[in-house]
Amino acid sequence: MSPRAHTPLQPAATPAPQIRNFCIIAHIDHGKSTLADRMLQITGVVSDRDMRAQYLDRMDIERERGITIKSQAVRMPWELDGQTFALNMIDTPGHVDFTYEVSRSLAACEGAILLVDAAQGIEAQTLANLYLALENDLHIIPVLNKIDLPAADPDKYAKELASLIGGRPEDVLRVSGKTGVGVEELLDRLVQQIPAPSGDPQAPARAMIFDSVYDAYRGVVTYVRMIDGSLEPRERIQMMSTRATHDLLEIGVSSPEPVPSKGLGVGEVGYLITGVKDVRLSKVGDTVTTARKPASDALPGYTDPKPMVYSGLYPIDGSDYGELREALDKLKLSDASLVYEPETSVALGFGFRCGFLGLLHLEIITERLAREFDLDLITTAPSVIYEVTTDTGEKVMVTNPSEYPDGRVATVAEPMVKAAILLPKDYVGTVMELCQSRRGTLLGMEYFSEERVELRYNIPLGEIVFDFFDQLKSKTQGYASLDYEPSGQQDADLVKVDILLQGDKVDAFSSIVHRDKAYAYGTLMAERLRKLIPRQQFEVPIQAAIGARIIARETIRAIRKDVLAKCYGGDITRKRKLLEKQKEGKKRMKMVGRVEVPQEAFIAALSGDVEGKDKK
């Protein structure tokens, strides 16, 4: 414990002038969780014996990948000039998929530490989160982390950071989350520069939910920041968006383990436990008030997080369908942004159509289903929501290619995103080429320093969700970073490409693509399936079609049994008779026989495993 740390204050005794609420905003892997670890250690809320790396990251996936998925709140005491202050740190996820959670966490703070890696400099998500912080009118403290690295160049990046937020390079703090250098000075600056929270203690209670997690024993734990008034244990509270009322069983602060208290006053950050078992009843961004004396206006900025990407999840073993439903129900308890509904596929059987905030969210949910519930799943290719208008003027929302209307289509609108790409200037040409090949429109280009450039593009979301990020990283040797936000819809010349096996549509392989890319998609899938589907006793045509028009074809050749093997010489008519008999049999088999597509072929074709082999 640092000599400056202090025994935790009793929450009910902390007046607003002694509270500082702040968060850390940074790009992935810039050392946010490590800096949080050092703060916990220096302020003494976690003893050296209990300390572990990434203390606030509770999930195995978070630790392995080194990313924060769920935001966490922690209260730390710090003494300055003989006075003890309560520092409430709200840890935020850095990834673009969780921008809504980040925005709610920022709304619960008065200040933010802008953390930049002294070896890598400013990245796209640092910028995106900085703009969010400025929109929320937060006081920004610029900090360079990892100054102990041999590759660190603090002077260069201090200039870059100062020019970005309008300050002097010498005002940029230099710390090392690993060794603890400069962290005490940073804590002093937090107390000196971040304003104390303001609010009316006499007004009806209003608290903003910035996170909620599911605890197997206690139900939903809701994390709130008090804006006005106060909340006390055993009070009856009301959620302003759903009007649901609950009894407050426990109220307290995280320090970083939960510590029950006598209540929360203006500016305080803490948790509420009501015994509710459904996270959907305490949504992030909602306002909590008391049922006895409710507030008239909810806090601004509340929206429901909307899914950006849809994908089908199917169990490899059909008998696991019930277990998959149960697993999704349990995950929904801890992740309110997951959306799912049952769907059936002719090829894959029973499964669920799931909506995700982005590709990382999809990856994390499928990984959690595999790990925590031991399920083997097939994930269909991710798709986005298209708005199709038919000739009759009817509007259809399409989340799955099988929902695409068969009749005549007047227009198709696809979701667009504003993408910001930060990269070294040497790769500008290759990245522009990549964006143009994905139907991107250049909005602007800006130099942050002699080396680093920001490109802003308007790109269809459907072009980004599949392998855009991988391509971007490989074309820039891993130096580029990407951030995007929705920017409405735009009409496009899109068509549905069906894959037919022996004249029957296989819905799992259908896709909605731009007309210019339809032929390439059709030939790729046909060629891929030709390699993956085993040969049958009869010839099997694989066709790619737009409506009734065939655009590509491959043929799986038949396995030929040599029926003439038993003929030693003899009359030609006897041989012809045997061949005719075989031909009739094959014709009959073709009419009756269905082409069995093995499960491995589905997995390989949908995940693109063969693509690498195709290109070699």
Side-chain angles (χ1 to χ4, degrees):
M1 186 189 273
S2 155
R4 307 275 304 284
H6 199 274
T7 7
L9 292 154
Q10 246 309 308
T14 315
Q18 280 171 257
I19 298 171
R20 299 289 182 270
N21 296 325
F22 71 97
C23 60
I24 306 175
I25 50 178
H27 189 77
I28 295 166
D29 203 30
H30 278 213
K32 198 167 39 157
S33 297
T34 313
L35 178 63
D37 288 349
R38 285 301 75 69
M39 286 182 168
L40 294 176
Q41 223 169 351
I42 287 170
T43 56
V45 289
V46 178
S47 65
D48 291 350
R49 190 183 63 182
D50 296 331
M51 195 63 211
R52 59 166 196 262
Q54 285 172 260
Y55 190 88
L56 294 175
D57 292 344
R58 303 294 162 96
M59 284 188 234
D60 290 343
I61 300 176
E62 289 182 311
R63 307 181 142 279
E64 280 168 30
R65 291 178 173 227
I67 57 172
T68 302
I69 296 164
K70 290 299 288 177
S71 48
Q72 299 282 346
V74 62
R75 183 189 183 97
M76 301 175 288
W78 190 244
E79 199 173 280
L80 183 70
D81 302 333
Q83 253 193 313
T84 304
F85 292 86
L87 305 179
N88 288 314
M89 180 179 70
I90 297 167
D91 188 20
T92 60
H95 198 275
V96 58
D97 286 7
F98 306 109
T99 304
Y100 177 66
E101 275 196 27
V102 175
S103 73
R104 295 300 84 210
S105 299
L106 294 179
C109 301
E110 277 78 36
I113 295 173
L114 177 63
L115 193 69
V116 172
D117 187 328
Q120 292 180 56
I122 296 162
E123 308 250 8
Q125 272 149 309
T126 321
L127 278 179
N129 291 344
L130 169 64
Y131 295 147
L132 273 177
L134 292 171
E135 274 172 35
N136 282 290
D137 207 18
L138 301 192
H139 178 85
I140 309 290
I141 298 177
V143 178
L144 280 176
N145 191 20
K146 305 191 186 182
I147 54 163
D148 56 312
L149 287 181
D153 190 348
D155 296 339
K156 176 186 169 187
Y157 293 122
K159 275 184 200 162
E160 207 174 281
L161 202 47
S163 67
L164 177 69
I165 61 168
R168 297 176 307 165
E170 50 271 26
D171 291 339
V172 177
L173 276 175
R174 297 164 190 213
V175 305
S176 166
K178 193 176 178 183
T179 61
V181 173
V183 178
E184 291 201 7
E185 193 189 334
L186 171 59
L187 290 166
D188 287 349
R189 198 173 285 194
L190 285 171
V191 172
Q192 290 159 354
Q193 294 190 356
I194 292 177
S198 58
D200 184 352
Q202 305 308 319
R206 288 199 304 173
M208 187 181 71
I209 301 176
F210 62 85
D211 195 21
S212 56
V213 294
Y214 180 73
D215 183 291
Y217 301 103
R218 320 191 69 185
V220 176
V221 180
T222 305
Y223 291 99
V224 296
R225 146 80 201 261
M226 289 303 300
I227 306 293
D228 294 322
S230 60
L231 286 175
E232 289 170 9
R234 299 290 158 193
E235 257 189 305
R236 194 157 181 78
I237 57 167
Q238 184 180 47
M239 305 294 172
M240 290 192 79
S241 72
T242 57
R243 297 284 166 204
T245 58
H246 314 290
D247 284 325
L248 203 49
L249 305 180
E250 186 178 310
I251 188 167
V253 295
S254 302
S255 188
E257 302 308 320
V259 179
S261 75
K262 297 189 179 76
L264 293 177
V266 169
E268 291 197 289
V269 173
Y271 67 87
L272 312 175
I273 293 176
T274 56
V276 172
K277 292 283 189 282
D278 190 348
V279 175
R280 282 168 288 190
L281 294 175
S282 28
K283 296 174 179 175
V284 172
D286 200 354
T287 307
V288 179
T289 185
T290 52
R292 184 173 48 83
K293 189 183 167 190
S296 52
D297 300 324
L299 295 162
Y302 170 68
T303 56
D304 270 329
K306 290 183 176 58
M308 299 273 277
V309 176
Y310 281 84
S311 179
L313 293 183
Y314 293 87
I316 287 180
D317 180 355
S319 61
D320 286 344
Y321 175 73
E323 285 176 42
L324 176 59
R325 176 190 284 277
E326 211 172 292
L328 284 169
D329 285 344
K330 283 181 182 167
L331 272 190
K332 179 79 181 173
L333 288 174
S334 61
D335 186 349
S337 54
L338 173 65
V339 178
Y340 59 93
E341 56 182 35
E343 81 167 355
T344 53
S345 156
V346 179
L348 301 171
F350 291 101
F352 291 91
R353 188 94 197 141
C354 303
F356 304 96
L357 298 174
L359 279 192
L360 179 77
H361 192 211
L362 183 156
E363 215 178 298
I364 283 160
I365 293 291
T366 46
E367 200 168 320
R368 285 183 70 185
L369 286 168
R371 275 184 191 201
E372 295 171 26
F373 303 97
D374 203 20
L375 289 166
D376 291 325
L377 301 171
I378 295 178
T379 313
T380 62
S383 65
V384 296
I385 311 166
Y386 298 100
E387 190 181 284
V388 180
T389 310
T390 60
D391 277 357
T392 56
E394 186 193 353
K395 280 186 166 41
V396 184
M397 300 306 276
V398 176
T399 59
N400 183 353
S402 61
E403 297 168 358
Y404 198 84
D406 291 330
R408 291 184 67 79
V409 170
T411 57
V412 184
E414 62 179 342
M416 303 295 288
V417 292
K418 268 193 191 122
I421 302 164
L422 232 78
L423 67 156
K425 68 174 193 313
D426 303 349
Y427 302 106
V428 168
T430 50
V431 171
M432 280 182 151
E433 219 171 275
L434 172 67
C435 293
Q436 276 155 6
S437 72
R438 299 302 176 98
R439 300 187 285 125
T441 316
L442 183 66
L443 297 174
M445 179 173 169
E446 196 178 325
Y447 276 81
F448 281 124
S449 65
E450 291 167 17
E451 293 298 314
R452 297 167 74 73
V453 187
E454 184 191 37
L455 293 175
R456 289 189 302 282
Y457 268 91
N458 207 24
I459 299 187
L461 179 62
E463 296 282 352
I464 279 186
V465 296
F466 206 51
D467 61 346
F468 181 81
F469 190 62
D470 297 346
Q471 291 279 332
L472 181 69
K473 285 287 184 192
S474 65
K475 284 182 189 298
T476 59
Q477 298 179 354
Y479 283 116
S481 56
L482 167 77
D483 187 81
Y484 60 85
E485 58 177 41
S487 65
Q489 290 189 318
Q490 190 172 298
D491 286 354
D493 188 8
L494 300 170
V495 290
K496 179 188 172 192
V497 178
D498 286 312
I499 303 294
L500 313 172
L501 278 184
Q502 212 182 311
D504 293 333
K505 285 182 191 174
V506 184
D507 57 352
F509 296 133
S510 298
S511 184
I512 297 169
V513 294
H514 194 266
R515 196 179 292 275
D516 295 349
K517 295 186 178 177
Y519 175 72
Y521 176 79
T523 49
L524 176 76
M525 281 307 271
E527 199 178 318
R528 213 183 263 187
L529 289 171
R530 179 177 63 77
K531 293 176 182 174
L532 292 166
I533 296 173
R535 287 166 70 183
Q536 315 282 322
Q537 290 280 333
F538 48 90
E539 197 175 81
V540 179
I542 303 168
Q543 296 163 312
I546 298 173
R549 188 163 63 88
I550 306 296
I551 56 167
R553 173 180 168 134
E554 291 279 345
T555 306
I556 300 171
R557 291 177 52 219
I559 302 171
R560 187 165 180 272
K561 185 182 173 190
D562 190 358
V563 290
L564 303 181
K566 61 188 176 187
C567 298
Y568 298 102
D571 189 8
I572 186 72
T573 53
R574 173 154 167 68
K575 289 182 181 176
R576 198 170 288 141
K577 191 177 169 188
L578 284 168
L579 288 169
E580 285 298 322
K581 192 176 174 189
Q582 184 186 34
K583 198 172 170 186
E584 284 300 313
K586 287 206 171 185
K587 200 184 271 181
R588 198 164 54 246
M589 193 189 287
K590 198 168 184 176
M591 283 159 59
V592 182
R594 273 183 63 228
V595 182
E596 289 297 326
V597 182
Q599 212 76 47
E600 303 79 58
F602 270 116
I603 298 167
L606 291 172
S607 62
D609 286 0
V610 191
E611 201 166 359
K613 296 171 198 167
D614 290 348
K615 285 177 183 171
K616 282 173 191 167

